[in-house]
Amino acid sequence: MLNVYGSKMCPDCIELEKAFAAEGVAYEYHDITGNLKELKAFLALRDSNEKFAKAKEKGLIGIPIVQTEDGSLTFKWQEFLKTPPQKAECSDGVCGVPQK
């Protein structure tokens, strides 16, 4: 099952939840702003993984992020959808992490 780290206050995280629900994507949501245990787990992941380097350089959080069953991480949550979302809150679809 996928693990998603996000926040109920993040527009892209909200968009992810709506899209995953609409397509029946199975995942476990870890709300980093609603639970201190989840925040600590996210920070441990963020502080030990180079995937977050650009976000940290820019002073950004780096959510939503999807962790797959094999432990790999991706900001490209749209790849888990059959059809792309109709409306995204950000042009790049990732809260504060520009895509190249």
Side-chain angles (χ1 to χ4, degrees):
M1 180 179 298
L2 302 175
N3 284 301
V4 174
Y5 290 89
S7 168
K8 302 290 184 182
M9 296 184 283
C10 167
D12 289 323
C13 299
I14 294 166
E15 190 69 26
L16 175 149
E17 285 189 282
K18 288 178 186 176
F20 278 18
E23 292 205 9
V25 177
Y27 68 101
E28 185 173 332
Y29 194 82
H30 302 276
D31 185 0
I32 67 169
T33 55
N35 182 302
L36 189 56
K37 182 179 175 184
E38 301 291 5
L39 175 61
K40 286 181 179 182
F42 171 74
L43 290 175
L45 184 68
R46 183 180 185 258
D47 291 346
S48 65
N49 194 296
E50 197 58 34
K51 187 76 142 174
F52 293 93
K54 287 182 184 179
K56 291 193 297 187
E57 284 173 14
K58 295 179 182 284
L60 303 170
I61 298 170
I63 57 172
I65 186 124
V66 177
Q67 184 178 38
T68 61
E69 289 183 23
D70 69 2
S72 62
L73 298 167
T74 183
F75 292 110
K76 298 178 181 180
W77 59 267
Q78 297 90 340
E79 293 177 355
F80 297 96
L81 302 175
K82 294 174 193 153
T83 57
Q86 295 294 319
K87 178 183 173 193
E89 295 292 331
C90 297
S91 60
D92 60 11
V94 178
C95 214
V97 181
Q99 299 292 306
K100 290 186 177 181

Coordinates of all heavy atoms in Angstrom, one line a residue:
M1 N 0.8 -1.2 0.0 CA 0.0 0.0 0.0 C 0.9 1.2 0.0 O 2.0 1.2 0.6 CB -0.9 0.0 1.2 CG -1.8 1.2 1.2 SD -2.9 1.4 2.6 CE -3.9 0.0 2.4
L2 N 0.4 2.3 -0.6 CA 1.1 3.6 -0.7 C 1.0 4.3 0.7 O 0.0 4.2 1.3 CB 0.5 4.5 -1.8 CG 0.6 3.9 -3.2 CD1 -0.2 4.9 -4.1 CD2 2.0 3.7 -3.7
N3 N 2.0 5.0 1.0 CA 2.0 5.9 2.2 C 2.1 7.3 1.6 O 3.0 7.6 0.8 CB 3.1 5.7 3.1 CG 2.9 4.5 4.0 OD1 2.0 4.4 4.7 ND2 3.8 3.5 3.9
V4 N 1.2 8.2 2.1 CA 1.2 9.6 1.6 C 1.5 10.5 2.8 O 0.7 10.4 3.8 CB -0.1 10.0 0.9 CG1 -0.1 11.5 0.6 CG2 -0.3 9.2 -0.3
Y5 N 2.5 11.3 2.8 CA 2.7 12.3 3.8 C 2.2 13.6 3.3 O 2.6 14.1 2.2 CB 4.2 12.4 4.1 CG 4.7 11.1 4.8 CD1 5.2 10.1 4.1 CD2 4.7 11.1 6.2 CE1 5.6 8.9 4.8 CE2 5.1 9.9 6.9 CZ 5.6 8.8 6.1 OH 6.0 7.7 6.8
G6 N 1.4 14.3 4.1 CA 0.8 15.5 3.7 C 0.2 16.3 4.8 O 0.4 15.9 6.0
S7 N -0.6 17.3 4.5 CA -1.3 18.1 5.5 C -2.7 18.5 5.0 O -2.9 18.7 3.8 CB -0.5 19.4 5.7 OG -1.3 20.3 6.5
K8 N -3.6 18.5 5.9 CA -5.0 18.9 5.5 C -5.0 20.4 5.2 O -6.0 20.9 4.7 CB -6.0 18.6 6.7 CG -6.0 17.2 7.1 CD -6.6 16.3 6.0 CE -6.7 14.9 6.5 NZ -7.3 14.0 5.6
M9 N -3.9 21.1 5.4 CA -3.9 22.6 5.1 C -3.2 22.8 3.7 O -3.2 24.0 3.3 CB -3.1 23.3 6.2 CG -3.8 23.3 7.5 SD -3.0 24.2 8.8 CE -1.6 23.2 9.2
C10 N -2.7 21.8 3.1 CA -1.9 22.0 1.8 C -2.9 21.7 0.7 O -3.5 20.7 0.5 CB -0.8 20.9 1.8 SG 0.0 20.7 0.2
P11 N -3.0 22.7 -0.2 CA -3.9 22.6 -1.4 C -3.6 21.4 -2.3 O -4.5 20.7 -2.7 CB -3.8 23.9 -2.1 CG -3.3 24.9 -1.2 CD -2.4 24.1 -0.2
D12 N -2.3 21.1 -2.5 CA -2.0 20.0 -3.3 C -2.3 18.6 -2.6 O -2.6 17.7 -3.3 CB -0.5 20.0 -3.7 CG -0.3 21.1 -4.7 OD1 -1.1 21.4 -5.6 OD2 0.8 21.8 -4.7
C13 N -2.1 18.6 -1.3 CA -2.5 17.4 -0.6 C -4.0 17.1 -0.6 O -4.4 16.0 -0.8 CB -2.0 17.5 0.9 SG -0.2 17.8 1.1
I14 N -4.8 18.2 -0.5 CA -6.2 18.0 -0.6 C -6.6 17.5 -2.0 O -7.4 16.7 -2.2 CB -6.9 19.4 -0.3 CG1 -6.7 19.7 1.2 CG2 -8.4 19.3 -0.7 CD1 -7.0 21.2 1.5
E15 N -5.9 18.1 -3.1 CA -6.2 17.6 -4.4 C -5.8 16.2 -4.6 O -6.5 15.4 -5.3 CB -5.3 18.5 -5.4 CG -5.7 18.3 -6.8 CD -7.1 18.8 -7.2 OE1 -7.6 19.7 -6.6 OE2 -7.6 18.3 -8.2
L16 N -4.7 15.7 -4.0 CA -4.3 14.3 -4.1 C -5.3 13.5 -3.4 O -5.8 12.5 -4.0 CB -2.9 14.2 -3.3 CG -2.4 12.7 -3.2 CD1 -0.9 12.7 -3.2 CD2 -3.0 12.1 -1.9
E17 N -5.8 13.8 -2.3 CA -6.8 13.0 -1.6 C -8.1 12.9 -2.4 O -8.7 11.8 -2.5 CB -7.2 13.6 -0.2 CG -6.1 13.4 0.8 CD -6.6 13.8 2.2 OE1 -6.6 15.1 2.5 OE2 -7.0 12.9 3.0
K18 N -8.6 14.0 -3.0 CA -9.7 13.9 -3.9 C -9.5 13.0 -5.1 O -10.4 12.2 -5.4 CB -10.1 15.4 -4.3 CG -10.7 16.2 -3.3 CD -10.9 17.6 -3.9 CE -11.4 18.6 -2.8 NZ -11.6 20.0 -3.4
A19 N -8.4 13.2 -5.7 CA -8.1 12.4 -6.9 C -8.0 10.9 -6.6 O -8.5 10.0 -7.3 CB -6.8 12.9 -7.6
F20 N -7.2 10.6 -5.5 CA -7.1 9.2 -5.1 C -8.4 8.6 -4.7 O -8.7 7.4 -5.1 CB -6.1 9.1 -3.9 CG -4.6 9.1 -4.4 CD1 -4.2 9.5 -5.6 CD2 -3.7 8.6 -3.5 CE1 -2.9 9.5 -6.0 CE2 -2.3 8.6 -3.8 CZ -1.9 9.0 -5.1
A21 N -9.3 9.3 -4.0 CA -10.6 8.8 -3.6 C -11.4 8.6 -4.9 O -12.1 7.5 -5.0 CB -11.3 9.8 -2.7
A22 N -11.4 9.5 -5.8 CA -12.2 9.3 -7.0 C -11.8 8.1 -7.8 O -12.7 7.5 -8.5 CB -12.1 10.6 -7.9
E23 N -10.6 7.8 -7.8 CA -10.1 6.6 -8.6 C -9.9 5.3 -7.8 O -9.4 4.3 -8.3 CB -8.8 7.0 -9.3 CG -9.1 8.0 -10.4 CD -8.0 8.0 -11.5 OE1 -7.2 7.0 -11.6 OE2 -8.1 8.9 -12.3
G24 N -10.1 5.4 -6.5 CA -10.0 4.2 -5.6 C -8.6 3.8 -5.4 O -8.3 2.6 -5.2
V25 N -7.7 4.8 -5.4 CA -6.3 4.4 -5.1 C -6.1 4.2 -3.6 O -6.5 5.0 -2.8 CB -5.3 5.6 -5.5 CG1 -3.9 5.3 -5.1 CG2 -5.4 5.9 -7.0
A26 N -5.6 3.0 -3.2 CA -5.4 2.6 -1.8 C -4.2 3.2 -1.3 O -3.1 3.1 -1.9 CB -5.4 1.1 -1.7
Y27 N -4.3 3.9 -0.1 CA -3.1 4.5 0.5 C -3.4 4.8 1.9 O -4.6 4.8 2.4 CB -2.8 5.9 -0.2 CG -3.8 7.0 0.0 CD1 -3.6 8.0 0.9 CD2 -5.0 7.0 -0.8 CE1 -4.6 9.0 1.0 CE2 -5.9 8.0 -0.6 CZ -5.7 9.0 0.3 OH -6.6 10.0 0.5
E28 N -2.3 5.0 2.7 CA -2.5 5.4 4.1 C -2.0 6.8 4.2 O -0.9 7.2 3.7 CB -1.6 4.5 5.0 CG -1.8 4.8 6.4 CD -1.1 3.8 7.3 OE1 -0.9 2.6 6.9 OE2 -0.7 4.2 8.4
Y29 N -2.8 7.7 4.8 CA -2.5 9.1 4.8 C -1.8 9.4 6.2 O -2.4 9.1 7.2 CB -3.7 10.0 4.6 CG -3.5 11.4 4.4 CD1 -3.1 11.8 3.1 CD2 -3.5 12.4 5.4 CE1 -2.9 13.2 2.8 CE2 -3.3 13.7 5.1 CZ -2.9 14.1 3.8 OH -2.7 15.4 3.6
H30 N -0.7 10.2 6.1 CA 0.0 10.6 7.3 C -0.1 12.1 7.4 O 0.6 12.8 6.7 CB 1.4 10.1 7.3 CG 1.5 8.6 7.2 ND1 1.5 7.8 8.3 CD2 1.7 7.8 6.1 CE1 1.6 6.5 7.9 NE2 1.7 6.5 6.5
D31 N -1.0 12.6 8.2 CA -1.2 14.1 8.4 C -0.1 14.7 9.3 O -0.2 14.6 10.5 CB -2.6 14.4 8.9 CG -2.9 15.8 8.9 OD1 -2.0 16.7 8.5 OD2 -4.0 16.2 9.3
I32 N 0.9 15.3 8.7 CA 2.0 15.8 9.5 C 1.7 17.0 10.3 O 2.4 17.4 11.2 CB 3.3 16.1 8.6 CG1 3.0 17.3 7.7 CG2 3.7 14.8 7.8 CD1 4.3 17.8 6.9
T33 N 0.6 17.7 10.0 CA 0.2 18.8 10.9 C -0.9 18.5 11.8 O -1.3 19.3 12.6 CB -0.3 20.0 10.0 OG1 -1.3 19.6 9.1 CG2 0.9 20.6 9.2
G34 N -1.4 17.3 11.8 CA -2.5 16.9 12.7 C -2.1 15.9 13.8 O -2.8 15.6 14.7
N35 N -0.8 15.4 13.7 CA -0.3 14.4 14.6 C 1.2 14.5 14.8 O 1.9 14.4 13.8 CB -0.7 13.0 14.1 CG -0.4 11.9 14.9 OD1 0.8 11.7 15.3 ND2 -1.4 11.1 15.3
L36 N 1.6 14.7 16.0 CA 3.0 14.9 16.3 C 3.9 13.7 15.9 O 5.0 13.8 15.4 CB 3.3 15.3 17.7 CG 4.7 15.7 18.1 CD1 5.1 16.9 17.3 CD2 4.7 16.0 19.6
K37 N 3.3 12.5 16.1 CA 4.0 11.2 15.8 C 4.3 11.2 14.2 O 5.3 10.8 13.8 CB 3.2 10.0 16.2 CG 3.9 8.7 15.9 CD 3.0 7.6 16.4 CE 3.6 6.2 16.0 NZ 2.7 5.1 16.4
E38 N 3.2 11.6 13.5 CA 3.4 11.6 12.0 C 4.4 12.7 11.5 O 5.2 12.4 10.6 CB 2.0 11.9 11.3 CG 1.0 10.9 11.6 CD 1.2 9.5 11.0 OE1 2.2 9.2 10.4 OE2 0.3 8.6 11.2
L39 N 4.4 13.8 12.2 CA 5.4 14.9 11.9 C 6.8 14.4 12.1 O 7.7 14.6 11.3 CB 5.1 16.1 12.7 CG 6.1 17.3 12.5 CD1 6.2 17.7 11.1 CD2 5.8 18.4 13.5
K40 N 7.0 13.7 13.3 CA 8.4 13.2 13.6 C 8.8 12.2 12.6 O 9.9 12.1 12.1 CB 8.4 12.6 15.0 CG 8.3 13.6 16.1 CD 8.4 13.0 17.4 CE 8.4 14.0 18.6 NZ 8.5 13.3 19.9
A41 N 7.9 11.3 12.2 CA 8.2 10.3 11.1 C 8.6 10.9 9.8 O 9.5 10.5 9.2 CB 7.0 9.3 11.0
F42 N 7.8 11.9 9.4 CA 8.1 12.7 8.2 C 9.4 13.4 8.2 O 10.2 13.3 7.3 CB 7.0 13.7 7.9 CG 7.3 14.6 6.7 CD1 7.3 14.1 5.4 CD2 7.7 15.9 6.9 CE1 7.6 14.9 4.4 CE2 8.0 16.7 5.9 CZ 8.0 16.2 4.6
L43 N 9.7 14.0 9.3 CA 11.0 14.8 9.5 C 12.2 13.8 9.4 O 13.2 14.1 8.8 CB 11.0 15.6 10.8 CG 10.0 16.8 10.8 CD1 10.1 17.5 12.1 CD2 10.4 17.8 9.6
A44 N 12.0 12.6 10.0 CA 13.1 11.6 10.0 C 13.3 11.2 8.5 O 14.5 11.1 8.1 CB 12.8 10.4 10.8
L45 N 12.2 11.0 7.8 CA 12.3 10.6 6.4 C 12.9 11.8 5.6 O 13.9 11.6 4.8 CB 10.9 10.3 5.9 CG 10.8 9.8 4.4 CD1 11.4 8.4 4.3 CD2 9.3 9.8 4.1
R46 N 12.4 13.0 5.8 CA 12.9 14.2 5.0 C 14.4 14.5 5.3 O 15.1 14.8 4.4 CB 12.0 15.4 5.4 CG 12.3 16.6 4.7 CD 11.4 17.7 5.2 NE 11.6 18.9 4.5 CZ 12.2 20.0 4.9 NH1 12.8 20.0 6.1 NH2 12.3 21.1 4.2
D47 N 14.8 14.4 6.6 CA 16.1 14.7 6.9 C 17.2 13.7 6.5 O 18.4 14.0 6.5 CB 16.2 15.0 8.4 CG 15.5 16.2 8.9 OD1 15.1 17.0 8.0 OD2 15.3 16.4 10.1
S48 N 16.7 12.5 6.1 CA 17.6 11.4 5.7 C 17.6 11.1 4.3 O 18.3 10.1 3.8 CB 17.4 10.2 6.6 OG 16.1 9.7 6.2
N49 N 16.8 11.8 3.5 CA 16.7 11.5 2.1 C 17.0 12.7 1.2 O 16.4 13.7 1.3 CB 15.2 11.0 1.8 CG 15.1 10.3 0.5 OD1 15.3 10.9 -0.5 ND2 14.8 9.0 0.6
E50 N 17.8 12.4 0.2 CA 18.3 13.4 -0.7 C 17.1 13.9 -1.6 O 17.2 15.0 -2.2 CB 19.4 12.9 -1.6 CG 20.2 13.9 -2.3 CD 20.9 15.0 -1.4 OE1 21.3 14.7 -0.3 OE2 21.0 16.1 -1.8
K51 N 16.1 13.2 -1.7 CA 14.9 13.5 -2.6 C 14.3 14.9 -2.2 O 13.8 15.6 -3.0 CB 13.8 12.5 -2.4 CG 12.7 12.6 -3.3 CD 13.0 12.2 -4.7 CE 11.9 11.4 -5.4 NZ 12.3 11.2 -6.7
F52 N 14.6 15.3 -0.9 CA 14.0 16.5 -0.4 C 15.0 17.7 -0.5 O 14.7 18.8 0.0 CB 13.6 16.4 1.1 CG 12.5 15.4 1.3 CD1 12.7 14.1 1.5 CD2 11.2 15.9 1.2 CE1 11.7 13.2 1.7 CE2 10.1 15.0 1.4 CZ 10.4 13.7 1.7
A53 N 16.1 17.5 -1.1 CA 17.2 18.6 -1.2 C 16.6 19.9 -1.7 O 16.9 21.0 -1.2 CB 18.4 18.1 -1.9
K54 N 16.0 19.8 -2.9 CA 15.5 21.1 -3.5 C 14.4 21.8 -2.6 O 14.5 23.0 -2.5 CB 14.8 20.8 -4.8 CG 15.8 20.5 -5.9 CD 15.1 20.2 -7.2 CE 16.2 19.8 -8.3 NZ 15.5 19.6 -9.6
A55 N 13.6 21.0 -2.0 CA 12.6 21.6 -1.1 C 13.3 22.3 0.1 O 12.9 23.4 0.4 CB 11.6 20.5 -0.6
K56 N 14.2 21.6 0.7 CA 14.9 22.2 1.8 C 15.7 23.4 1.4 O 15.8 24.4 2.2 CB 15.8 21.1 2.5 CG 15.0 20.1 3.2 CD 15.8 19.2 4.1 CE 16.9 18.4 3.4 NZ 17.5 17.4 4.3
E57 N 16.4 23.4 0.3 CA 17.1 24.6 -0.2 C 16.2 25.8 -0.3 O 16.7 26.9 -0.1 CB 17.7 24.3 -1.6 CG 18.9 23.4 -1.6 CD 19.4 23.0 -3.0 OE1 18.9 23.7 -4.0 OE2 20.2 22.1 -3.2
K58 N 15.0 25.6 -0.7 CA 14.1 26.7 -0.9 C 13.2 27.0 0.4 O 12.4 27.8 0.3 CB 13.1 26.4 -2.1 CG 13.9 26.3 -3.4 CD 12.9 26.0 -4.5 CE 13.6 25.8 -5.8 NZ 14.0 27.1 -6.4
G59 N 13.5 26.3 1.5 CA 12.8 26.5 2.7 C 11.3 26.0 2.6 O 10.5 26.4 3.4
L60 N 11.1 25.0 1.8 CA 9.8 24.4 1.6 C 9.7 23.1 2.4 O 10.7 22.5 2.8 CB 9.5 24.1 0.1 CG 9.6 25.4 -0.7 CD1 9.6 25.0 -2.2 CD2 8.5 26.4 -0.4
I61 N 8.4 22.6 2.6 CA 8.2 21.4 3.3 C 8.5 20.1 2.5 O 9.2 19.2 3.0 CB 6.7 21.4 3.8 CG1 6.5 22.5 4.8 CG2 6.4 20.0 4.5 CD1 5.0 22.7 5.1
G62 N 8.0 20.1 1.3 CA 8.2 18.9 0.4 C 7.0 17.9 0.5 O 7.2 16.7 0.6
I63 N 5.8 18.4 0.5 CA 4.6 17.6 0.6 C 3.6 18.0 -0.5 O 3.7 19.2 -1.0 CB 3.8 17.6 1.9 CG1 3.5 19.1 2.3 CG2 4.7 16.9 3.0 CD1 2.6 19.2 3.5
P64 N 2.8 17.1 -1.0 CA 2.7 15.7 -0.7 C 3.8 14.9 -1.3 O 4.3 15.2 -2.3 CB 1.3 15.4 -1.2 CG 1.1 16.3 -2.4 CD 1.8 17.5 -2.0
I65 N 4.1 13.9 -0.5 CA 5.1 12.9 -1.1 C 4.5 11.5 -0.9 O 3.9 11.2 0.1 CB 6.5 13.0 -0.4 CG1 7.5 12.1 -1.1 CG2 6.4 12.7 1.1 CD1 8.7 12.8 -1.5
V66 N 4.7 10.7 -1.9 CA 4.2 9.3 -1.8 C 5.4 8.4 -1.7 O 6.4 8.4 -2.4 CB 3.4 9.0 -3.2 CG1 3.0 7.5 -3.1 CG2 2.3 9.9 -3.4
Q67 N 5.2 7.4 -0.7 CA 6.2 6.4 -0.5 C 5.5 5.1 -0.9 O 4.5 4.7 -0.5 CB 6.6 6.3 1.0 CG 7.7 5.3 1.3 CD 8.0 5.3 2.7 OE1 7.2 5.5 3.6 NE2 9.3 5.2 3.0
T68 N 6.2 4.4 -1.9 CA 5.7 3.1 -2.4 C 6.1 2.0 -1.5 O 6.8 2.2 -0.5 CB 6.2 2.9 -3.8 OG1 7.6 2.8 -3.8 CG2 5.8 4.0 -4.8
E69 N 5.5 0.8 -1.7 CA 5.8 -0.4 -0.9 C 7.3 -0.7 -0.8 O 7.7 -1.2 0.2 CB 5.0 -1.6 -1.4 CG 3.5 -1.4 -1.1 CD 2.7 -2.6 -1.6 OE1 3.3 -3.7 -1.7 OE2 1.5 -2.5 -1.8
D70 N 8.0 -0.4 -1.9 CA 9.5 -0.7 -1.8 C 10.3 0.4 -1.1 O 11.5 0.3 -1.1 CB 10.0 -1.0 -3.2 CG 10.0 0.2 -4.1 OD1 9.7 1.3 -3.7 OD2 10.4 0.1 -5.3
G71 N 9.6 1.4 -0.6 CA 10.3 2.5 0.1 C 10.7 3.7 -0.7 O 11.2 4.7 -0.2
S72 N 10.5 3.6 -2.1 CA 10.9 4.7 -2.9 C 9.9 5.9 -2.7 O 8.8 5.7 -2.3 CB 11.0 4.3 -4.4 OG 9.8 3.9 -4.8
L73 N 10.4 7.1 -3.0 CA 9.6 8.3 -2.8 C 9.4 9.0 -4.1 O 10.3 9.1 -4.9 CB 10.3 9.2 -1.8 CG 10.6 8.7 -0.4 CD1 11.6 9.5 0.4 CD2 9.3 8.6 0.4
T74 N 8.3 9.7 -4.2 CA 8.0 10.5 -5.4 C 7.1 11.6 -5.1 O 6.2 11.5 -4.3 CB 7.4 9.7 -6.6 OG1 7.3 10.5 -7.7 CG2 6.1 9.0 -6.2
F75 N 7.3 12.8 -5.7 CA 6.4 13.9 -5.6 C 5.4 13.8 -6.7 O 4.4 14.6 -6.7 CB 7.2 15.2 -5.7 CG 8.1 15.5 -4.6 CD1 9.5 15.5 -4.7 CD2 7.6 15.8 -3.3 CE1 10.3 15.7 -3.7 CE2 8.4 16.1 -2.3 CZ 9.8 16.1 -2.4
K76 N 5.5 13.0 -7.6 CA 4.7 12.9 -8.8 C 3.5 11.9 -8.5 O 3.3 10.9 -9.2 CB 5.5 12.4 -10.0 CG 6.5 13.4 -10.4 CD 7.4 12.9 -11.6 CE 8.5 13.9 -11.9 NZ 9.3 13.5 -13.0
W77 N 2.6 12.3 -7.6 CA 1.5 11.5 -7.2 C 0.5 11.3 -8.4 O -0.2 10.3 -8.4 CB 0.8 12.1 -6.0 CG 0.2 13.5 -6.2 CD1 0.9 14.7 -5.9 CD2 -1.0 13.9 -6.7 NE1 0.1 15.7 -6.2 CE2 -1.1 15.3 -6.7 CE3 -2.1 13.2 -7.2 CZ2 -2.2 16.0 -7.1 CZ3 -3.3 13.9 -7.6 CH2 -3.3 15.3 -7.6
Q78 N 0.5 12.1 -9.4 CA -0.4 12.0 -10.5 C -0.2 10.7 -11.3 O -1.0 10.2 -12.0 CB -0.3 13.2 -11.4 CG -0.7 14.5 -10.8 CD 0.4 15.2 -10.1 OE1 1.5 14.7 -9.8 NE2 0.3 16.5 -9.9
E79 N 1.1 10.2 -11.2 CA 1.4 8.9 -11.9 C 0.6 7.7 -11.4 O 0.6 6.7 -12.1 CB 2.9 8.7 -11.8 CG 3.7 9.7 -12.5 CD 5.2 9.5 -12.3 OE1 5.7 8.6 -11.6 OE2 6.0 10.2 -13.0
F80 N 0.0 7.8 -10.2 CA -0.8 6.7 -9.7 C -2.2 6.8 -10.1 O -3.0 5.9 -9.8 CB -0.7 6.7 -8.1 CG 0.7 6.5 -7.7 CD1 1.5 7.6 -7.3 CD2 1.2 5.2 -7.6 CE1 2.8 7.4 -6.9 CE2 2.5 5.0 -7.1 CZ 3.3 6.1 -6.8
L81 N -2.6 7.8 -10.9 CA -4.0 7.9 -11.4 C -4.1 7.4 -12.8 O -3.2 7.5 -13.6 CB -4.3 9.4 -11.4 CG -4.3 10.2 -10.1 CD1 -4.5 11.6 -10.3 CD2 -5.2 9.5 -9.1
K82 N -5.3 6.9 -13.1 CA -5.6 6.5 -14.5 C -5.7 7.7 -15.4 O -5.4 7.7 -16.6 CB -6.8 5.6 -14.5 CG -6.7 4.3 -13.8 CD -8.0 3.6 -13.7 CE -7.9 2.5 -12.7 NZ -9.2 2.2 -12.1
T83 N -6.4 8.7 -14.9 CA -6.5 10.0 -15.6 C -6.0 11.1 -14.8 O -6.2 11.1 -13.6 CB -8.0 10.2 -16.0 OG1 -8.8 10.2 -14.8 CG2 -8.6 9.2 -16.9
P84 N -5.4 12.1 -15.4 CA -4.9 13.3 -14.6 C -6.0 14.1 -14.0 O -7.1 14.1 -14.5 CB -4.1 14.1 -15.6 CG -4.5 13.6 -17.0 CD -5.1 12.3 -16.8
P85 N -5.8 14.7 -12.9 CA -6.8 15.5 -12.2 C -7.3 16.6 -13.2 O -6.5 17.2 -14.0 CB -6.1 16.1 -11.0 CG -4.7 15.6 -10.9 CD -4.5 14.8 -12.2
Q86 N -8.6 17.0 -13.1 CA -9.1 18.0 -13.9 C -8.6 19.4 -13.5 O -8.4 20.3 -14.3 CB -10.7 18.0 -13.8 CG -11.3 16.7 -14.3 CD -11.1 16.6 -15.8 OE1 -11.2 17.6 -16.6 NE2 -10.8 15.4 -16.3
K87 N -8.4 19.6 -12.2 CA -8.0 20.9 -11.7 C -6.9 20.7 -10.7 O -7.1 20.0 -9.8 CB -9.2 21.7 -11.1 CG -8.8 23.0 -10.6 CD -10.1 23.6 -9.9 CE -9.6 24.9 -9.2 NZ -10.7 25.4 -8.3
A88 N -5.8 21.4 -10.8 CA -4.7 21.4 -9.9 C -4.6 22.8 -9.2 O -4.8 23.8 -9.9 CB -3.4 20.9 -10.5
E89 N -4.2 22.8 -8.0 CA -4.1 24.0 -7.3 C -2.8 24.8 -7.7 O -2.7 26.0 -7.7 CB -4.1 23.8 -5.7 CG -5.4 23.3 -5.2 CD -6.5 24.3 -5.3 OE1 -6.2 25.5 -5.2 OE2 -7.6 23.9 -5.4
C90 N -1.8 24.0 -8.0 CA -0.5 24.6 -8.4 C -0.2 24.2 -9.9 O -0.6 23.1 -10.3 CB 0.7 24.1 -7.5 SG 0.5 24.6 -5.8
S91 N 0.6 24.9 -10.5 CA 0.9 24.6 -11.9 C 1.7 23.3 -12.1 O 1.6 22.6 -13.0 CB 1.6 25.8 -12.6 OG 2.8 26.1 -12.0
D92 N 2.6 23.1 -11.0 CA 3.4 21.9 -11.1 C 2.8 20.7 -10.4 O 3.3 19.6 -10.4 CB 4.8 22.2 -10.6 CG 4.9 22.7 -9.2 OD1 3.8 22.6 -8.5 OD2 5.9 23.1 -8.8
G93 N 1.7 20.9 -9.6 CA 1.0 19.8 -9.0 C 1.7 19.4 -7.7 O 1.3 18.4 -7.1
V94 N 2.8 20.0 -7.3 CA 3.5 19.6 -6.1 C 3.6 20.9 -5.2 O 4.1 21.9 -5.6 CB 4.9 19.0 -6.4 CG1 5.6 18.7 -5.1 CG2 4.7 17.8 -7.2
C95 N 3.2 20.8 -4.0 CA 3.2 21.9 -3.1 C 4.6 22.4 -2.8 O 5.3 21.8 -2.0 CB 2.5 21.5 -1.8 SG 1.6 22.7 -0.9
G96 N 5.0 23.4 -3.5 CA 6.2 24.1 -3.2 C 7.5 23.4 -3.8 O 8.6 23.8 -3.4
V97 N 7.4 22.4 -4.6 CA 8.6 21.7 -5.1 C 8.5 21.8 -6.6 O 7.7 21.1 -7.3 CB 8.7 20.2 -4.7 CG1 9.9 19.6 -5.2 CG2 8.7 20.2 -3.2
P98 N 9.2 22.7 -7.3 CA 9.2 22.8 -8.7 C 9.7 21.5 -9.4 O 10.6 20.9 -8.9 CB 10.1 24.0 -9.0 CG 10.6 24.5 -7.7 CD 10.1 23.6 -6.6
Q99 N 9.0 21.2 -10.5 CA 9.4 20.0 -11.3 C 10.2 20.5 -12.5 O 9.8 21.5 -13.1 CB 8.2 19.2 -11.7 CG 7.4 18.7 -10.5 CD 8.2 17.6 -9.7 OE1 8.6 16.6 -10.3 NE2 8.3 17.8 -8.5
K100 N 11.2 19.7 -12.9 CA 11.9 20.1 -14.1 C 11.5 19.1 -15.3 O 11.1 18.1 -15.1 CB 13.4 19.9 -13.9 CG 13.9 21.0 -13.0 CD 15.4 21.0 -12.9 CE 15.9 22.1 -12.1 NZ 17.3 22.2 -12.0

